[in-house]
Amino acid sequence: MFLNLTKKSSFLLTLCISVGLPYLAFSQPALKEVYQDYFPIGVAVGARNLTGDEAKLIKKQFNSITAENAMKMGPIQPVEGKFYWKDADAIVDFAMQNGFKMRGHNLSWHEQTPKWMFIGKDGKTVSKTVLLQRLKDHITTVVSRYKGKIYAWDVINEAIDDDPTKSLRQSPWYQILGDDFIIKAFEYAHAADPDAQLFYNDYNTEFPEKRDRIYTLLKRMIDKGVPIHGVGLQAHWSLQEPSAENLRAAIERYASLGLKIQFTELDLSIYPWEKNKRARKPGESAILTPELEQQQADRYGLVFKIFREYKDVITNVTFWNISDRYSWLDEYPVSGRKNYPLLFDTKLQPKKAFWAVVNF
Ligand code: GLA
């Protein structure tokens, strides 16, 4: 009798596995479908992610793509006048073939800029005239190549200083070109593709003091007639920040300028934010405990609830990386400390956070 039952249950189990698992896999909701009446759901990728199980997940879940690094100045123009298109082209081709929207990221930043950009033929710091020409050539070449394919560009990334008493970051761009570099970059991008939507993109955009400095910059640009259409809020967040109140206030303040809002680099670190880089301490925990996973799901649920409330002004929400298999936060700011900031786990399976985002 006992043996019979065991046989029966093992038969049932086999049946469940053969019938049930494909059914479960088939019934897993897709973010892009759940959010089709709200905004596109994007993901940042490298060319290496476009085959195998990651590509399958990308195609099932997302409908917008950003290149994680391939379109940044250093990777795409490592030597003056010599462009490396291979990875960026592969990502754009994948996006076009599979019906994704494609965001361009980014045209000017203080990081990942090639060294040659600021050095003249004489080995000294380049003049304003030469640097403006280089900026123009870069933007014109890159934007023209993807004209009609990339619908939105992050034109300037992170130009506001971390020091609350300052306005613009003291980068070589600013030191050599002054305020002009922002205005010119937008003008060059607009001339190269008048239909592209042009964004200013930054982090910590919800902290009231930085929010107000960004607002002032954007307002100045709009008043001067600079062709800017939106603001990118990176959204590299944690379980603690930002507060719902600050998030709502930021959305409303930027939207009051008539700008569209995109959350361009969303991830929720399971660790409190730290400013300085450091190595992982011996014995320091790097585990996604059930408590942390639940807290993360609650926060993802909360921020998407707020996003949905503002669907009239939010035109994209993009995750920075695909799954916990790889995140830039595995190394930053604490080298060697694994992080788990996304909706899918290291095996590409949905986490609690995924269900919190799709069940509403
Ligand atoms: C910033 C940049 C992104 C990326 C992240 C870290 O937010 O805008 O392109 O480099 O830092 O990966």
Side-chain angles (χ1 to χ4, degrees), residues 102-119:
M102 180 81 217
R103 299 193 81 257
H105 175 82
N106 57 57
L107 296 171
S108 166
W109 190 21
H110 64 284
E111 283 183 30
Q112 291 183 264
T113 305
K115 288 214 171 62
W116 62 262
M117 184 59 76
F118 304 116
I119 299 171

Side-chain angles (χ1 to χ4, degrees), residues 66-69 72 105-106 109 111-112 154 157-158 201-203 234-236 264-265 267 320-321 326-329 332:
T66 303
E68 181 184 8
N69 287 302
K72 291 171 180 168
H105 175 82
N106 57 57
W109 190 21
E111 283 183 30
Q112 291 183 264
D154 292 331
N157 204 28
E158 306 179 352
N201 193 47
D202 212 331
Y203 60 88
Q234 291 185 0
H236 292 299
T264 52
E265 307 184 19
D267 47 24
W320 205 248
N321 301 131
Y326 161 77
S327 158
W328 72 289
L329 292 168
Y332 186 87

